Amino acid sequence: PFSMISSEDKKRLPDGLEDAYPAIQLQIGMLYHGELNPEAAFYHDIFSYSIEAPFYYDKLEQALQQLIERPAILRTSFDLVQYREPLQRVHSRLETLPLAVEDIRDMSPSKQNGAISAWIDDEKANPFDYTVAPLLRFHIHWLGDQTFQLSYVSHHAILDGWSLAAMLTELLQTY
């Protein structure tokens, strides 16, 4: 840990980190373009999946907690200005689990679809503060006894498509 940064930068890091290392140019570019045009929601990824299974909050929360403890990138924030070079900072733990649940079982299917669409539109306008981990959020729209909508939002600087597929597969298998 911390072997890829200068000793001066290492001394200036906040408590609660398990590692820090240089951000790669591609990540820096994504963060820069997000800052340059915040209203455009560049690199603000939103994926939503209809799941046919009963929804159990406790099981999903436990599966998500288990998932977030493993890959460091899920607990990563960025600092582009306070150190000799832009850094990725891996936090030992997260203050809050990025999971929200909205119970819309009492709505008709068309109103449920409208609520999900409205949530997606609102989420596009809800940018990430890349200096604070995590750079991902999960949202459940509880639709019925055997269905729920799982939505995942992240900054693209932390996951690509391949990694996202692997992460969601692991989350759902654990759930």
Side-chain angles (χ1 to χ4, degrees):
F2 308 103
S3 64
M4 298 177 71
I5 62 173
S6 70
S7 57
E8 297 86 30
D9 281 350
K10 199 180 306 184
K11 291 175 192 172
R12 297 177 46 228
L13 290 169
D15 292 336
L17 299 181
E18 69 180 46
D19 201 357
Y21 37 85
I24 62 171
Q25 291 299 313
L26 185 60
Q27 291 169 318
I28 295 167
M30 289 179 200
L31 296 169
Y32 169 77
H33 284 287
E35 290 259 319
L36 192 61
N37 298 301
E39 70 286 343
F42 292 133
Y43 309 112
H44 188 100
D45 296 337
I46 302 172
F47 300 93
S48 194
Y49 307 93
S50 180
I51 308 293
E52 290 189 33
F55 174 65
Y56 301 109
Y57 180 84
D58 292 344
K59 287 183 179 183
L60 184 61
E61 181 182 47
Q62 184 178 18
L64 186 55
Q65 185 65 48
Q66 184 177 333
L67 176 73
I68 287 178
E69 289 173 1
R70 290 186 346 91
I73 196 68
L74 301 183
R75 291 174 280 108
T76 294
S77 65
F78 294 88
D79 190 313
L80 304 183
V81 296
Q82 295 186 48
Y83 302 97
R84 293 178 64 197
E85 60 188 328
L87 292 183
Q88 297 184 62
R89 300 177 305 175
V90 180
H91 300 263
S92 301
R93 55 184 292 280
L94 298 178
E95 295 300 317
T96 58
L97 197 59
L99 174 61
V101 177
E102 189 175 346
D103 185 349
I104 57 173
R105 290 178 290 175
D106 63 338
M107 292 181 178
S108 69
S110 64
K111 288 198 184 278
Q112 288 176 339
N113 288 336
I116 293 167
S117 293
W119 177 84
I120 290 171
D121 288 342
D122 290 345
E123 186 57 42
K124 287 177 187 176
N126 184 14
F128 286 95
D129 176 354
Y130 62 81
T131 66
V132 178
L135 299 179
L136 62 117
R137 296 186 278 266
F138 289 88
H139 193 98
I140 299 296
H141 288 93
W142 194 357
L143 306 173
D145 292 339
Q146 295 294 316
T147 57
F148 62 95
Q149 190 80 15
L150 169 65
S151 298
Y152 165 79
V153 185
S154 72
H155 195 291
H156 193 66
I158 66 165
L159 288 176
D160 61 10
W162 182 264
S163 301
L164 171 63
M167 181 195 74
L168 290 175
T169 299
E170 182 178 338
L171 176 67
L172 292 172
Q173 284 177 338
T174 303
Y175 175 74

